[in-house]
Amino acid sequence: MRKHFSSRVLGAKRSAIRELLKLAERPEIISFSGGFPDPETFPHEEFAEIAAEEIRDNYRDVLQYSTTEGSKTFRRGVSGWLKEQGIEASIDEILVTTASQQGLDLICKAFVDPADVIFCGLPTYLGAIQAFTLFQATKIGIPLEDDGMNLDVLEEEIGAARRGGKVLKGIYVIPDFQNPSGITMSLKKRERLLEIARREDLLIFEDNPYGHLRFSGEPIRSIYSLDDEGRVIMLVTFSKTLAAGLRLAVMLARGDAMDALVRVKQATDLCTSKLIQRLAARYIERYRFDLHLAEISRTYRRKKEAMIRALERYMPAEDGIRWTDPDGGLFVWMWLPEGIDTEEMLDRAIEEKVAYVPGAATHVDGGGANTLRLAFSLASEEDIDEGIRRLAEVVKREIAAKKREGVAT
Amino acid sequence: MRKHFSSRVLGAKRSAIRELLKLAERPEIISFSGGFPDPETFPHEEFAEIAAEEIRDNYRDVLQYSTTEGSKTFRRGVSGWLKEQGIEASIDEILVTTASQQGLDLICKAFVDPADVIFCGLPTYLGAIQAFTLFQATKIGIPLEDDGMNLDVLEEEIGAARRGGKVLKGIYVIPDFQNPSGITMSLKKRERLLEIARREDLLIFEDNPYGHLRFSGEPIRSIYSLDDEGRVIMLVTFSKTLAAGLRLAVMLARGDAMDALVRVKQATDLCTSKLIQRLAARYIERYRFDLHLAEISRTYRRKKEAMIRALERYMPAEDGIRWTDPDGGLFVWMWLPEGIDTEEMLDRAIEEKVAYVPGAATHVDGGGANTLRLAFSLASEEDIDEGIRRLAEVVKREIAAKKREGVAT
């Protein structure tokens, strides 16, 4: 059978997170691994009511095929909602996708030939790495600083790739509370990133799954809204703001780019479920989405604070141990002393009944062995405290073992 | 922007059907174009009840991410349902997909490198052509006979492609009530097709969207159930048997093939909506799916009979005019005299307020200009009669015009 495999699938690996999710399903494990939203944030009473009503009264419509672009009712609702946040996107600039992972798939299909270059963060979202890898892109990682991607390094890497004769396609960024680092890109850097993209004629793929889950600081304008050339393609998923099980997102793009994306979407899955689109559309129409977002942001703030408190309380005061303190989103990012391998350490953590995502999987340069991602979204505040306590024990033992090894060798 | 497009998107065109669907939306047009199921066949009362219940009682589960393979509850239900029809597929041999168009996308991702050969019917499903084209496959069309693909021609074409140094990957077939032709492949041909695939070491991609919508004749074994080598990958959508708006299908595959398909599914959209999977699972669990299928098959039988009656009544008795009379599915296929171009004729048909799919779009060899597809699934029996009457008038005028042209030149 393997001789029939495409070259793209021979180059793709199973995801580490995916195998982890299986472990994390065991009830005795406190899992900080998968980026699962807290199910208590899903507006289920409202959805139950809307679903019954729409299926009963509008079944001829909602159970039928949708257009490839998506339901006009839904896109109109999204357009209005985005406008409140300073993002101008007409219905024609909105393509409904089967969640944002599909958005990444469509971007690759529309723009990426094998060996084309995509620049991305070090670290960056694992699912994006998987999509880019499947389409055989050359992924060049750019280190992150406290205010986002290091743009000096980006410019150097662009120059080096050009000199290497590569076809450069775009830059993939998650400006707000990045996955996995929790880092937010400053306005200044967003503006400069756009300037670089203009000068170098690159596209920007702006992924925004968490932007509406801000719990401190002021919102920063999206790169999409700074752009007047149609150079930025933006992904806005409802997986975290409404419910992951909807598999619903939108993709903002203009002109020819939108035309290409619609064509590849059609060959990919014809259309996204109209029932699902209508659930979200009616919710946005009838309820105060802004209040819902404010409420779930408070939930995640409490959980983040519980995690930071626990980290401060339990983690050893060792050189090289530090973590981010994000203004939103679902993740805290953590560095351990050089020499610790968080992939190897995971076995011990699982034994101690706590799980996380080893950072190496989120680094396209093979680095990040001493880093890890902690999702604070799913566990209760009590479990966050206990889970971090367990993790700190594992970390302490790991450091002690490394020190012994150091003496022994 | 176009300079950024991938080579695959530069080679893909917008679908003719897709543009047609827009026209067909105008209420004054009787449309036989899109393969839309009759919405009265959607079990909406049951879905409304299940949706409300599942969202209210199991929101923590159904509104959360699913595993990439799909919900076990749903796959267990599907496995049992398939068994009743002589198809043995364990849970591990079932991958849930976001409808069967995604199944085709995953097949291409897992198996097709640019220029690899896929054999398919002349004509074949337009969406499959689009998927294969997007992945830059070489599509070789094999003429259909009354009992399915002409396997002598297939063997010749396999030989020719091998001599041409091509990499041969597989054969795409829709054995039951094929889209667009309505033709069913005989058991004898299914067995011989599998033998050819074995001898030539090719995969078979068996697409079965309509197999459960049989309204006359006896069911014929699927190629998947004849295969004991894991050489056949089967797609079974619920778009026609439950509701198109669910965007739900399963893909049957074994061993390494399943492993590859799961990996590419993960990078494609992570998972299919668990809410949607659960709707279908509970429906299969609680209700008599077999009786539902028998009932909707009767609906389509009545509509097919109305269409055949109208064709017999209105179409001119002209050499070269004929049509298929399918035992199931949604489509009648029609030939007009050589020299008539159904793509050009469509303008006149739309003027007369009737629509169909021109056959050329479903031919990978550039042929089929004088053919067309008539979907009897959506229109009422009255509209079928009136629509075919209108179409017959258009055809008569077209033939008369061609005859005048013939005299004039």
Side-chain angles (χ1 to χ4, degrees):
Chain A
M1 176 54 74
R2 292 185 62 83
K3 65 171 287 249
H4 292 297
F5 284 178
S6 66
S7 57
R8 80 176 67 75
V9 86
L10 289 170
K13 280 183 297 184
R14 274 192 180 242
S15 145
I17 285 194
R18 189 168 175 285
E19 301 304 317
L20 273 172
L21 291 183
K22 290 184 183 163
L23 291 173
E25 276 173 20
R26 282 158 47 192
E28 71 274 21
I29 295 200
I30 296 177
S31 177
F32 304 131
S33 59
F36 290 97
D38 183 340
E40 302 305 331
T41 66
F42 304 149
H44 61 277
E45 290 291 350
E46 296 87 338
F47 281 159
E49 189 186 299
I50 296 169
E53 196 181 295
E54 284 291 326
I55 297 174
R56 198 163 283 133
D57 301 342
N58 298 322
Y59 65 92
R60 287 184 190 82
D61 189 22
V62 301
L63 295 180
Q64 190 57 279
Y65 289 106
S66 168
T67 57
T68 301
E69 292 87 345
S71 140
K72 280 190 183 166
T73 312
F74 177 55
R75 287 185 290 154
R76 202 174 296 122
V78 170
S79 178
W81 172 64
L82 289 172
K83 195 170 183 164
E84 291 167 22
Q85 300 149 65
I87 299 177
E88 292 282 344
S90 71
I91 288 186
D92 295 336
E93 291 162 358
I94 298 175
L95 171 62
V96 179
T97 60
T98 309
S100 277
Q101 187 68 33
Q102 183 179 69
L104 295 168
D105 182 69
L106 300 183
I107 283 173
C108 290
K109 279 181 176 141
F111 301 111
V112 179
D113 281 317
D116 285 0
V117 172
I118 297 180
F119 299 94
C120 61
L122 276 178
T124 193
Y125 168 50
L126 179 59
I129 297 177
Q130 289 184 289
F132 301 153
T133 303
L134 196 63
F135 284 87
Q136 300 169 292
T138 302
K139 304 166 298 273
I140 299 182
I142 308 296
L144 299 188
E145 301 173 299
D146 290 347
D147 60 348
M149 202 175 257
N150 184 325
L151 299 182
D152 295 332
V153 175
L154 174 66
E155 290 190 301
E156 286 162 26
E157 291 287 354
I158 289 172
R162 285 222 190 279
R163 287 190 298 278
K166 293 276 191 185
V167 175
L168 311 190
K169 276 299 160 73
I171 307 155
Y172 173 70
V173 281
I174 309 165
D176 291 331
F177 332 123
Q178 199 240 21
N179 180 0
S181 71
I183 288 171
T184 296
M185 185 182 264
S186 65
L187 179 61
K188 214 167 160 177
K189 279 203 171 170
R190 293 176 199 218
E191 288 167 343
R192 187 174 156 208
L193 184 72
L194 191 57
E195 272 171 37
I196 294 170
R198 275 180 191 151
R199 193 182 64 224
E200 300 286 344
D201 194 11
L202 298 175
L203 303 175
I204 294 177
F205 311 124
E206 180 180 24
D207 197 354
N208 188 12
Y210 320 107
H212 300 95
L213 303 179
R214 176 179 280 280
F215 35 70
S216 53
E218 285 302 308
I220 302 175
R221 284 185 70 182
S222 64
I223 308 172
Y224 187 86
S225 69
L226 297 169
D227 168 45
D228 52 13
E229 296 180 306
R231 186 173 293 289
V232 182
I233 293 168
M234 186 171 184
L235 309 180
V236 182
T237 185
F238 295 90
S239 289
K240 279 77 185 179
T241 50
L242 284 176
L246 298 182
R247 314 309 299 132
L248 184 67
V250 294
M251 192 164 188
L252 311 183
R254 299 183 190 126
D256 281 350
M258 178 54 91
D259 189 65
L261 291 165
V262 170
R263 276 187 287 152
V264 298
K265 161 86 177 163
Q266 197 186 1
T268 298
D269 70 353
L270 299 181
C271 61
T272 294
S273 166
K274 200 185 261 180
L275 172 59
I276 292 291
Q277 295 182 59
R278 196 61 70 82
L279 274 184
R282 292 285 178 241
Y283 180 85
I284 293 175
E285 220 173 78
R286 289 187 198 169
Y287 298 94
R288 289 286 303 271
F289 195 21
D290 57 341
L291 296 185
H292 169 71
L293 293 173
E295 190 190 322
I296 68 179
S297 297
R298 279 193 295 275
T299 298
Y300 289 125
R301 176 188 199 142
R302 277 194 304 274
K303 292 189 172 203
K304 193 251 344 196
E305 287 173 350
M307 184 167 275
I308 298 290
R309 266 198 315 274
L311 286 165
E312 287 169 352
R313 181 167 170 197
Y314 298 117
M315 282 293 158
E318 189 82 27
D319 271 359
I321 297 192
R322 61 196 178 93
W323 49 84
T324 56
D325 185 353
D327 284 329
L330 312 181
F331 307 113
V332 164
W333 182 247
M334 193 170 171
W335 290 262
L336 296 182
E338 293 284 342
I340 301 236
D341 184 325
T342 58
E343 245 174 63
E344 284 178 17
M345 191 179 80
L346 185 59
D347 279 346
R348 268 86 74 186
I350 298 277
E351 277 168 30
E352 294 300 320
K353 302 187 176 48
V354 61
Y356 57 82
V357 173
T362 64
H363 283 70
V364 298
D365 68 345
N370 63 324
T371 61
L372 57 99
R373 188 190 78 177
L374 298 168
F376 50 79
S377 46
L378 191 61
S380 67
E381 289 173 59
E382 295 68 33
D383 278 357
I384 288 173
D385 188 79
E386 171 61 16
I388 295 295
R389 193 195 61 74
R390 293 178 191 173
L391 183 63
E393 291 307 310
V394 175
V395 168
K396 281 178 205 164
R397 283 205 296 275
E398 204 73 7
I399 290 172
K402 287 288 159 200
K403 283 184 181 164
R404 277 197 306 276
E405 272 179 38
V407 171
T409 52
Chain B
M1 177 54 74
R2 292 185 60 82
K3 65 171 286 248
H4 291 296
F5 284 178
S6 66
S7 56
R8 80 177 66 76
V9 86
L10 289 170
K13 281 183 296 186
R14 273 193 181 243
S15 145
I17 286 194
R18 188 165 177 284
E19 301 304 317
L20 274 171
L21 290 183
K22 289 184 183 163
L23 291 171
E25 275 173 21
R26 283 158 45 193
E28 71 274 22
I29 294 198
I30 296 176
S31 177
F32 304 131
S33 59
F36 289 96
D38 182 340
E40 301 305 330
T41 66
F42 303 150
H44 60 277
E45 290 291 350
E46 294 87 339
F47 281 159
E49 188 186 299
I50 296 168
E53 197 180 295
E54 285 290 327
I55 297 175
R56 199 163 282 131
D57 301 342
N58 299 321
Y59 65 92
R60 287 183 190 83
D61 189 23
V62 302
L63 295 180
Q64 188 58 280
Y65 289 105
S66 168
T67 56
T68 301
E69 291 88 344
S71 140
K72 280 191 182 165
T73 312
F74 176 54
R75 287 186 289 153
R76 201 174 296 123
V78 170
S79 177
W81 172 64
L82 289 173
K83 194 168 183 166
E84 292 167 20
Q85 301 149 64
I87 300 178
E88 292 283 344
S90 70
I91 289 186
D92 293 337
E93 292 163 356
I94 298 175
L95 171 63
V96 180
T97 60
T98 309
S100 277
Q101 188 68 33
Q102 182 180 68
L104 295 168
D105 181 69
L106 300 184
I107 283 173
C108 290
K109 280 182 175 140
F111 302 110
V112 180
D113 280 317
D116 285 0
V117 172
I118 296 180
F119 299 95
C120 61
L122 276 178
T124 194
Y125 168 49
L126 180 58
I129 297 177
Q130 289 183 288
F132 301 154
T133 302
L134 196 62
F135 284 87
Q136 301 169 292
T138 302
K139 304 166 299 275
I140 299 182
I142 309 296
L144 299 188
E145 301 173 298
D146 290 348
D147 58 349
M149 201 175 258
N150 183 326
L151 299 183
D152 295 333
V153 175
L154 174 65
E155 290 190 301
E156 286 163 25
E157 291 288 354
I158 288 172
R162 284 223 190 278
R163 287 189 299 279
K166 293 276 192 186
V167 175
L168 312 190
K169 277 299 162 73
I171 308 155
Y172 172 71
V173 281
I174 309 166
D176 290 331
F177 332 123
Q178 199 241 20
N179 180 1
S181 71
I183 288 171
T184 295
M185 185 182 264
S186 64
L187 179 60
K188 212 166 158 177
K189 279 202 171 170
R190 293 177 199 217
E191 288 167 343
R192 187 173 156 209
L193 184 72
L194 191 57
E195 271 172 38
I196 295 170
R198 276 181 190 151
R199 194 182 63 226
E200 300 287 344
D201 194 12
L202 298 174
L203 303 176
I204 294 177
F205 310 124
E206 180 179 25
D207 196 354
N208 188 12
Y210 319 108
H212 300 95
L213 303 178
R214 175 180 279 280
F215 36 70
S216 52
E218 286 301 309
I220 302 175
R221 284 184 70 182
S222 64
I223 309 172
Y224 186 85
S225 69
L226 297 170
D227 169 44
D228 52 14
E229 296 181 306
R231 186 174 292 291
V232 183
I233 293 168
M234 186 172 185
L235 308 179
V236 182
T237 184
F238 295 90
S239 289
K240 280 77 184 178
T241 50
L242 285 176
L246 298 182
R247 314 308 299 130
L248 184 67
V250 293
M251 192 164 189
L252 312 184
R254 300 184 190 126
D256 281 351
M258 177 53 91
D259 189 65
L261 291 165
V262 170
R263 276 187 287 153
V264 298
K265 161 84 177 165
Q266 195 186 3
T268 297
D269 70 353
L270 298 182
C271 62
T272 294
S273 166
K274 199 186 261 181
L275 172 59
I276 292 291
Q277 295 182 59
R278 196 61 69 84
L279 274 184
R282 292 286 179 241
Y283 180 85
I284 293 175
E285 220 172 79
R286 289 188 197 168
Y287 298 94
R288 289 285 303 269
F289 196 22
D290 57 342
L291 296 184
H292 169 72
L293 293 172
E295 190 190 322
I296 68 179
S297 297
R298 281 193 294 277
T299 299
Y300 289 125
R301 175 187 200 143
R302 279 195 303 275
K303 292 189 173 203
K304 194 254 338 202
E305 286 172 351
M307 183 167 275
I308 298 291
R309 268 198 313 275
L311 287 164
E312 286 169 353
R313 180 167 171 196
Y314 299 116
M315 282 294 158
E318 188 82 29
D319 273 359
I321 298 192
R322 61 195 177 94
W323 49 84
T324 56
D325 185 352
D327 285 327
L330 311 181
F331 308 113
V332 163
W333 181 247
M334 193 172 173
W335 290 262
L336 297 180
E338 292 285 341
I340 302 237
D341 184 325
T342 57
E343 243 174 66
E344 284 178 16
M345 192 178 81
L346 185 59
D347 279 346
R348 269 85 74 185
I350 298 276
E351 277 169 31
E352 294 300 320
K353 302 188 176 48
V354 60
Y356 57 81
V357 173
T362 63
H363 283 70
V364 298
D365 67 346
N370 63 322
T371 61
L372 57 99
R373 188 190 78 177
L374 298 168
F376 50 78
S377 47
L378 191 61
S380 67
E381 289 173 58
E382 296 69 34
D383 278 357
I384 288 172
D385 188 80
E386 171 59 16
I388 295 296
R389 193 195 62 72
R390 293 177 191 173
L391 182 62
E393 291 306 311
V394 175
V395 168
K396 282 177 202 163
R397 284 205 296 276
E398 204 72 8
I399 291 172
K402 286 289 160 199
K403 284 184 179 163
R404 278 197 305 278
E405 271 179 39
V407 172
T409 51

